[in-house]
Amino acid sequence: MSLSIEESTPVPESPVAEGLAVRVRGLVQGVGFRPHVARLAQALGVDGDVCNDGEGVLIHLWATAAVRAAFLARLEDEAPPLARIEAVETWPLHDTPPHGFSIRTSEHGAVRTGVVPDAATCDACLRELFDPADRRYRYPFINCTHCGPRLSIQRQVPYDRAGTSMAGFVMCDACRREYEDAGDRRYHAQPNACPVCGPRVWLEPTAGNTALEGEDAVAAAATWLRQGAILAVKGLGGFHLACDAANAAAVNRLRAAKRRYAKPFALMARDPGVIRRYADCDAIEAGLLASPAAPIVLLNAREDAALPEGIAPGQDALGFMLPYTPLHHLLLAGFETPLVMTSGNLSDEPQCIDNDEARERLSPLVDGLLLHDRDIVNRVDDSVVRVVTGKARLLRRARGYVPAPLPLPPGFEQAPPVLALGGELKSTFCLFKEGQAILSPHLGDLEDARVLAAYEEVLDRFQGLFDFRPACLAGDAHPGYLSTQLGRDRAGRDGLTFTPVQHHHAHIAACLAENGWSLNAGPVLGIALDGLGYGEDATLWGGEFLRADYRAMHRLAALQPVALPGGVRAILEPWRLTYAQLVRLPDWSELRERYASLDLLQRLQAKPLSTLDAMLEKGINAPLSSACGRLFDAVAAALGICFDVIHYEGQAAIELEVLARRVGNEPGGYPFARIDGDPPRLDPAPMWAALLADLASGVSRECIAWRFHAGLLDALAALAGELAAAQHLDTVALSGGVFQNRLMLAGLQDRLERLGLRVLTHAQVPSNDGGVALGQAVIAAAQLLEAQGS
């Protein structure tokens, strides 16, 4: 961002040194910004001082007009790599100037500054880590102002050592000299440490053998992993469970221990060269892997990738990351194969962050625990990114990105602070204040009591960290969501209003906010496709065409609602969804006889169909849903994918996409019908008749999966074009978990743009439910602003 110097503060041409106060806002604490200022002042011969405070960085300087101008110009141009300057304000000083330039003790006050995300080990630290002549050779906690822990160790703002989990480690003389040397890159690096004075690492065998410390611990851990062991590794923002990814027995044992029977495992490789043996990696993906955020990047697996099927069952992608802490670099140094590096928890539980918690929860799963004594203050899971249509798109926003604030579009600058509680799955919350939104890291699914407890803990910590006091709370309109109940309870406790927000309206609003859509820019055509959300008519929506802006939305069209026989069980057992789709076909009796020998119908006949028929006939425990995600599940089950059960959300749809991607691009999508009504419906009934005919003709599953995708995309685009024209809208916003499907996102964007429509999509905020908290926040803020203006 360009510096914004107040016009009311002219710089005179006098050669006399005059005083100037400079306020710098943004991500400017914990990135070496004060040392940067001090070095700049020293180079220019400027007198004054600099400190952190609740609003960012405050500089006092005395210099001539020419030097002040040079100082302000270089302030941004030469800023540290992790800094993000959002605003610079200046005003004159009339105090007596000091002699020289100093870094003052931080001042406390109302918090209006950002907190910097954790950053992967920089190249300079990495060189030192493997330099036998360096005093930090093989030290697992090496860091500097350009890298290392930030959010994960921070307890308060301003960012100083005393307010982090490094407070208990007193710097030795050598570290203190670096810390106080303006020419050293560790000048005022708050986590600065070395083997003499810093945190230590050790390996605890779960079998009761003697623990190993230091270099011996890391070397032994690497040896154990090569021998097929499973280890719990305390990382930056939580624990990982690790094993040799090339060892099928270890991978399968980890799956059984973690109770994660199908969901892919994340992988960590020593360097990009190792990754390229197993997956394709273009320049954008390589840049993401090597960035300070160091996320997990989903890459297309090579056909000759020699990894066990248990790494990513049913998928054609592998989730890779590079080592992002010194400990990870040391552990991977000798590995020519990747390591599994999955969250340290039992399936659906929150990631462990505490040593004692890990001993209790993870010891039964592993052969040893690689521990250290630097406390993790804030739990931060690994982020997940995928590149689609040449753009990096976050699927899970956490380590490396959180809590960097998201600037909001014009019009929200004066909105009161809002706390938005998010949804039930892939939960996050959002702190909205002063024209910025701070999304929490990914916290998991609130259906688990431990996740809910962790969610509340992180919520309280973030409110304290950012000194956040909301004027109102917002959440999902679904009355049964735990996040909604929590929001109502907290609003009642604090005497605040609670704003319920329709789920798909929140999806579209999040997309608008991320793309800088102004508060008063008018409505767009929103297409929200996901698993399900609570609709305004109390049915379950999930295939929606909306006329929407921040203040309101109107449902223009939807997918044809189909019953979910068994309610939640229908989501877990996709065969129920297939049957519900088939039994509603007008010629089902005839089709059932014609295709009686099909494997699909044979498998359905073995199920308790009479029970389902009774549910459907009487409408008992069979809620209607227009969810596009459930249609994907039904088609997948028809092809034998996850027919009986799914093990994680989205599994059936993901594996269906994998089949379709094997075909490539060919004409011949299945037909969908249009049903007039209020609202109009897009009906898949003709698609099912064509799909059954293809099954009977022996058409490959891959071709059928492709024809389903192509037909749905054609139908969605055609209807969107008609609605946009009828509503006089030229912009379409795409949101919802279905758009994590590469074929769906790229295919629909291409079709809509060929119709002359502008298309807004997600990148920095997940299109899945991890982004709805942002949408809830901006909708509630827009309504507050409207009420203030009335």
Side-chain angles (χ1 to χ4, degrees), residues 34 49-52 58 60 102-107 160 188:
R34 291 177 299 170
D49 55 53
V50 62
C51 73
N52 283 342
L58 180 61
H60 296 150
S102 63
I103 295 180
R104 289 192 291 121
T105 302
S106 296
E107 299 176 358
D160 281 317
H188 277 254

Side-chain angles (χ1 to χ4, degrees), residues 434-583:
E434 298 176 347
Q436 291 187 329
I438 298 168
L439 271 176
S440 75
H442 164 86
L443 295 168
D445 298 345
L446 298 186
E447 295 165 325
D448 183 274
R450 289 179 178 271
V451 176
L452 179 60
Y455 173 99
E456 292 193 66
E457 179 185 342
V458 176
L459 175 57
D460 290 339
R461 184 169 291 121
F462 265 55
Q463 286 195 250
L465 188 61
F466 292 97
D467 191 23
F468 184 79
R469 297 176 179 85
C472 85
L473 284 80
D476 200 279
H478 195 303
Y481 279 5
L482 294 177
S483 57
T484 301
Q485 295 171 15
L486 177 64
R488 290 188 182 279
D489 290 345
R490 291 196 171 212
R493 179 194 69 188
D494 298 334
L496 302 174
T497 58
F498 178 84
T499 301
V501 178
Q502 199 280 324
H503 188 82
H504 301 98
H505 188 195
H507 267 303
I508 300 304
C511 185
L512 295 180
E514 178 183 349
N515 283 277
W517 192 261
S518 171
L519 174 62
N520 297 314
V524 301
L525 175 63
I527 303 179
L529 307 178
D530 65 0
L532 56 83
Y534 193 71
E536 290 184 332
D537 58 0
T539 65
L540 301 174
W541 293 5
E544 311 307 316
F545 293 78
L546 309 173
R547 179 186 175 93
D549 57 19
Y550 296 111
R551 297 182 180 89
M553 69 91 174
H554 175 67
R555 194 186 197 195
L556 299 176
L559 287 178
Q560 175 65 30
V562 178
L564 307 179
V568 173
R569 287 194 67 180
I571 298 173
L572 300 176
E573 300 174 6
W575 67 267
R576 294 170 177 263
L577 301 171
T578 308
Y579 184 70
Q581 289 277 352
L582 295 175
V583 78

